[in-house]
Amino acid sequence: MASSCSQALRHHVCKSSRILRVHLQKAWPNRSFVLNSAADQQPAVSSPVEEIVIPKKKTWSKEAVLQALASTVNRDPTASDYRFQDDPYLTPKTSSEFKLFSLSQESGRNAAKYFISTYPKYFQKDYAQPHIPCLMPETLEAQIEEVSEAALIERIQMRKVKAAVDLYDQLQQAGTPVSLDVTNQLLDLICFYGDCDPAQENVPEQRNEETEDVQDEPQTKKGRASKASDKLKAAWKENNNAERIFALLSEPNTHSYSALIRGMVKYGAYSKAFSTYTDLLNNQLKADVSTFNALITAAPEVKEKYNEKWELIVDLLKQMAEQKVKPNLLTLNAVLKALRRCGTVGKSQAFPVISEMRALSIDPSLASYNHLLSIFYKPGAPFQGQTDILQEVMNEVSGKSFTPQDPDDAQFFITAVRICLDTKDIEQAYRVHELLGVGENWRLLGNDFQQNIYHARFFSLLCMMENIDVVLKWYRDLVPSVYYPSSNVMRDLLQVLDTDNRLDLIPQIWKDLKQLGHGNRQTLVEELLTLMAREKQNQEVQETFAECALDIKKMYDTGDRGKVMMSWTAGSLSDLVSVLLAAQRRQDAWEILKLFKTHNRVPSEELLDKFLTCIKESGDVNQALELVQISAGFCLPGTPKLIQRVQQEFLLSEQQKSMLSDLEIQTFNSD
């Protein structure tokens, strides 16, 4: 029974297989499948045999799921930056809080690294799956104590410059040979860090009683160009350890020369770098591409005239071709960066250089386009006949996603939006901002300082070229989720409100000013008061102006979180009184008027005349007389005119008339 069932099943399977093969052969007569049996396979007559290989499994990256989830959402303009969402209570609302939070967060991270690296035995448990090496303790102390080449390699890998040099000297004194490869690694280390140990960012500052009262020297801000004094501190020293160790080599190779030349160029010894390159050629050696890139970068520093600089660059490129050294992207960027120092010659040679490099299958990066824009658009220089260069560059890069390939890639967006601002080209600015949202190009915007520069320029251009509705759309999209505008940018926004006659939005802008930490910027606050006091609006708007004005008065009285308090000026007091009078807040305006005497400020005759008109509407004679007394107390020239108005426009008693006569006589005598 079992055997008959088995035979029937086998017959059914074979029959089904034959039917399936017949259908497949009819559908794809020119294909041969691995499924065919040996009896069914026949040699191909004319068409080539194509085999379909089905992979056993698909290998996914460890971040694939996170990347897929991230692609389903966009940035939320109402939310804070992702770095601050772990602690909503401490989410920064001002630029100063943003800086403080970022520095505190980084300080805490560095402190944690310090303790983990100082006491690694207490942090051996690895909870991360998969393993994250950067979260595990780093080895700060050398494990190999003996004087050997292995110990030297360990110190080189730990980036201990002084210790590695001392150990190398001990090996030389003991007569122990050090291989050329290890010596070259040591040269790389010394030349990269300028013959000094790298600064340990995660080591907390040690202070004692003697140093607590000493004021620290001002440090260069992150993202800002270094000063001349900073460059002098990092200059190439004569006969340093790199030159001394290089001189001990019996047969230095290309790597040895390359390390020395790149170090000289990095630390300003340009002429010495070319002299070392000449020694390399005299020893019948060929330079590598990194050496040529460094020399091209140094070329503008050793020549004076533009033509001489370009001729030296061309000569180096020809030597690369003679030595059969293939250029790379960094070569293209080095040439373009050098052409920025070549004046009109750079403008004539920039595009031919890019064409030549493209012929060698070298496509420009964002750094290349940044150098190209910098060649044609100098800050403060006229742009006649060059406004189409930015458009051509944007045509090349629009819609493309870039990856970091050069440190100067992060300068492209800042340079592009700076040119848009200088040329007032809002269309290209939109294209630049659109490019920022393609793929992960936002990563190439740079650090926080560079991001702030980019958004400040972009928003300033919007305030200059667009109407208030468009400006407010971008304002709500950028502030404060990715950008904390400065007081100057907020002043530009106020000017847009004035230009488009949308002063009714001033109270909302004042709330944002306080939230952004600009509530104590006196010039900004005074400009806001001036706008509210200049023209009379409808009653509803005037009421909101009055509330805003009284809120501003509180800032003058109490300050903002311990910051320097603003001082009242005659203009700010006058504007505040005018706003309150326009909203029929006469009593509040009267209290502000008293502040003129308190703060030794003199009101204008126009303000007192306006105040008297408001008093007349209510018929308050006593307040009118007090106003005249205030004017007489300041010895204003318009006091007699004010007295005359009170006498004509108010019903006065004999006593009040007598008092006004006495004030008039006193005013006449003082004159």
Side-chain angles (χ1 to χ4, degrees):
M1 179 70 178
S3 122
S4 61
C5 290
S6 174
Q7 291 177 357
L9 179 62
R10 190 181 304 110
H11 174 73
H12 177 72
V13 170
C14 293
K15 182 178 180 182
S16 301
S17 300
R18 286 195 299 271
I19 294 173
L20 176 62
R21 282 200 300 271
V22 169
H23 284 290
L24 290 175
Q25 289 172 356
K26 288 181 179 179
W28 297 288
N30 295 328
R31 292 177 179 259
S32 176
F33 286 86
V34 181
L35 298 174
N36 293 355
S37 62
D40 293 332
Q41 293 180 0
Q42 297 179 356
V45 179
S46 58
S47 60
V49 177
E50 181 179 353
E51 181 178 341
I52 296 179
V53 179
I54 301 176
K56 293 182 179 180
K57 68 175 182 177
K58 171 67 176 177
T59 303
W60 298 93
S61 65
K62 297 175 181 178
E63 301 85 11
V65 176
L66 291 176
Q67 291 173 352
L69 291 174
S71 64
T72 62
V73 296
N74 294 324
R75 181 180 63 84
D76 182 5
T78 63
S80 60
D81 191 87
Y82 71 94
R83 288 171 291 182
F84 310 122
Q85 293 183 5
D86 291 338
D87 198 343
Y89 179 76
L90 296 177
T91 299
K93 297 179 177 62
T94 68
S95 56
S96 58
E97 289 181 2
F98 173 82
K99 182 178 180 181
L100 179 62
F101 193 111
S102 301
L103 293 177
S104 301
Q105 195 177 50
E106 187 65 22
S107 177
R109 188 179 294 112
N110 289 338
K113 289 181 181 179
Y114 169 76
F115 282 106
I116 289 175
S117 301
T118 306
Y119 308 101
K121 61 182 179 180
Y122 299 116
F123 302 95
Q124 294 301 323
K125 183 64 176 178
D126 187 5
Y127 295 96
Q129 293 295 335
H131 174 67
I132 305 176
C134 65
L135 297 183
M136 297 304 294
E138 296 181 4
T139 303
L140 297 180
E141 299 297 332
Q143 303 298 315
I144 305 177
E145 298 294 339
E146 61 182 12
V147 180
S148 62
E149 185 173 302
L152 177 59
I153 295 174
E154 181 188 40
R155 284 155 179 78
I156 292 174
Q157 292 175 347
M158 295 173 63
R159 300 183 299 170
K160 293 183 175 293
V161 179
K162 298 295 184 183
V165 171
D166 292 341
L167 187 57
Y168 179 84
D169 292 338
Q170 294 178 26
L171 290 171
Q172 292 294 318
Q173 293 173 3
T176 305
V178 180
S179 65
L180 183 59
D181 290 340
V182 176
T183 305
N184 287 338
Q185 293 179 27
L186 179 59
L187 284 174
D188 286 334
L189 180 69
I190 298 172
C191 294
F192 185 82
Y193 288 109
D195 199 12
C196 12
D197 285 320
Q200 297 293 331
E201 297 181 356
N202 58 343
V203 177
E205 183 181 2
Q206 301 292 333
R207 288 183 175 270
N208 51 36
E209 295 180 357
E210 297 179 357
T211 60
E212 283 181 354
D213 297 332
V214 179
Q215 185 177 3
D216 295 333
E217 295 181 0
Q219 298 178 352
T220 304
K221 292 183 179 179
K222 188 177 181 181
R224 188 184 66 185
S226 58
K227 298 179 181 178
S229 58
D230 300 329
K231 294 182 179 180
L232 291 176
K233 295 178 183 177
W236 183 266
K237 298 178 181 179
E238 193 73 20
N239 298 322
N240 59 12
N241 287 319
E243 294 185 16
R244 180 176 62 82
I245 294 174
F246 180 82
L248 295 175
L249 296 176
S250 58
E251 294 182 358
N253 60 7
T254 299
H255 190 159
S256 311
Y257 279 100
S258 176
L260 197 63
I261 291 172
R262 284 182 289 150
M264 291 175 175
V265 172
K266 181 176 181 180
Y267 293 101
Y270 307 112
S271 300
K272 206 163 191 177
F274 279 93
S275 176
T276 305
Y277 173 67
T278 303
D279 295 339
L280 178 146
L281 297 179
N282 293 336
N283 289 331
Q284 306 299 318
L285 294 175
K286 294 182 179 180
D288 59 8
V289 65
S290 300
T291 305
F292 279 111
N293 293 346
L295 292 174
I296 291 172
T297 303
E301 305 292 342
V302 297
K303 297 295 182 180
E304 294 292 334
K305 298 181 179 180
Y306 294 153
N307 290 332
E308 294 176 352
K309 295 177 181 181
W310 172 241
E311 289 172 0
L312 179 56
I313 295 172
V314 172
D315 183 53
L316 289 171
L317 293 174
K318 289 181 179 179
Q319 292 184 42
M320 288 183 70
E322 292 173 359
Q323 298 178 31
K324 297 181 180 180
V325 178
K326 185 177 180 180
N328 56 17
L329 175 62
L330 296 181
T331 308
L332 168 61
N333 292 342
V335 174
L336 292 175
K337 190 173 184 178
L339 287 177
R340 294 170 61 173
R341 305 279 303 278
C342 295
T344 55
V345 176
K347 296 179 181 180
S348 62
Q349 300 297 332
F351 286 106
V353 166
I354 294 178
S355 300
E356 289 290 336
M357 291 296 179
R358 274 181 169 160
L360 297 175
S361 301
I362 300 176
D363 293 325
S365 68
L366 284 183
S368 312
Y369 293 114
N370 171 65
H371 297 318
L372 182 64
L373 292 175
S374 299
I375 290 172
F376 287 92
Y377 297 95
K378 302 291 184 182
F383 302 126
Q384 288 84 359
Q386 303 172 13
T387 54
D388 57 338
I389 303 297
L390 176 61
Q391 184 176 356
E392 293 180 11
V393 170
M394 292 311 302
N395 291 339
E396 287 286 333
V397 301
S398 291
K400 296 181 181 179
S401 179
F402 292 88
T403 56
Q405 301 180 74
D406 189 291
D408 289 331
D409 284 341
Q411 299 295 327
F412 171 79
F413 288 102
I414 295 179
T415 303
V417 78
R418 188 259 303 169
I419 295 171
C420 293
L421 181 60
D422 292 341
T423 58
K424 298 180 177 57
D425 193 340
I426 189 64
E427 180 182 353
Q428 299 305 322
Y430 282 136
R431 297 183 67 186
V432 172
H433 196 75
E434 182 182 359
L435 176 65
L436 191 63
V438 176
E440 294 190 346
N441 290 344
W442 59 272
R443 296 184 183 275
L444 299 174
L445 192 53
N447 55 37
D448 295 333
F449 181 76
Q450 293 170 313
Q451 292 176 23
N452 190 69
I453 293 176
Y454 170 83
H455 288 111
R457 290 173 175 173
F458 179 70
F459 193 75
S460 295
L461 181 60
L462 289 172
C463 293
M464 190 184 303
M465 304 301 297
E466 292 287 9
N467 59 61
I468 185 60
D469 293 329
V470 176
V471 172
L472 289 178
K473 171 183 171 294
W474 283 102
Y475 176 78
R476 297 187 185 99
D477 184 68
L478 298 176
V479 179
S481 58
V482 296
Y483 173 51
Y484 297 92
S486 64
S487 58
N488 291 331
V489 175
M490 295 304 294
R491 188 176 294 109
D492 293 340
L493 180 59
L494 289 178
Q495 292 176 358
V496 179
L497 294 177
D498 185 20
T499 303
D500 287 8
N501 197 23
R502 289 298 305 274
L503 300 181
D504 56 293
L505 298 174
I506 285 181
Q508 180 61 44
I509 300 300
W510 165 245
K511 293 180 182 179
D512 294 344
L513 285 175
K514 289 198 302 179
Q515 183 177 351
L516 294 169
H518 301 314
N520 64 330
R521 301 284 183 176
Q522 184 152 346
T523 55
L524 189 60
V525 172
E526 288 179 354
E527 183 170 351
L528 188 142
L529 285 172
T530 301
L531 290 176
M532 289 193 296
R534 191 178 61 192
E535 297 177 0
K536 189 171 182 179
Q537 309 291 329
N538 59 61
Q539 190 60 31
E540 182 180 356
V541 174
Q542 288 297 159
E543 284 293 332
T544 60
F545 280 3
E547 294 296 334
C548 179
L550 293 175
D551 194 28
I552 290 175
K553 177 182 176 297
K554 295 178 183 178
M555 297 297 297
Y556 274 93
D557 294 339
T558 61
D560 184 14
R561 299 184 184 179
K563 296 181 180 179
V564 178
M565 292 179 59
M566 296 181 289
S567 59
W568 286 109
T569 63
S572 57
L573 286 170
S574 298
D575 291 335
L576 189 55
V577 171
S578 299
V579 172
L580 293 174
L581 289 177
Q584 306 299 324
R585 300 280 191 96
R586 184 166 53 88
Q587 191 57 40
D588 292 329
W590 184 256
E591 297 298 327
I592 302 298
L593 189 63
K594 295 179 181 179
L595 296 178
F596 279 94
K597 185 176 181 180
T598 305
H599 296 279
N600 296 320
R601 299 292 184 262
V602 180
S604 64
E605 298 177 13
E606 181 183 358
L607 177 67
L608 297 182
D609 195 61
K610 185 188 301 183
F611 210 119
L612 184 59
T613 302
C614 186
I615 295 175
K616 178 186 174 182
E617 295 177 359
S618 62
D620 193 339
V621 179
N622 293 328
Q623 196 170 52
L625 293 175
E626 290 183 26
L627 185 67
V628 174
Q629 290 176 345
I630 291 175
S631 178
F634 286 110
C635 300
L636 295 178
T639 303
K641 182 180 177 181
L642 211 60
I643 294 174
Q644 185 179 4
R645 280 195 58 189
V646 173
Q647 291 173 341
Q648 294 176 354
E649 299 176 6
F650 290 86
L651 295 176
L652 305 175
S653 64
E654 293 298 328
Q655 183 180 0
Q656 292 170 340
K657 291 179 181 180
S658 176
M659 186 184 68
L660 286 178
S661 300
D662 293 339
L663 285 175
E664 192 171 10
I665 294 172
Q666 292 177 7
T667 304
F668 179 78
N669 292 334
S670 63
D671 293 341

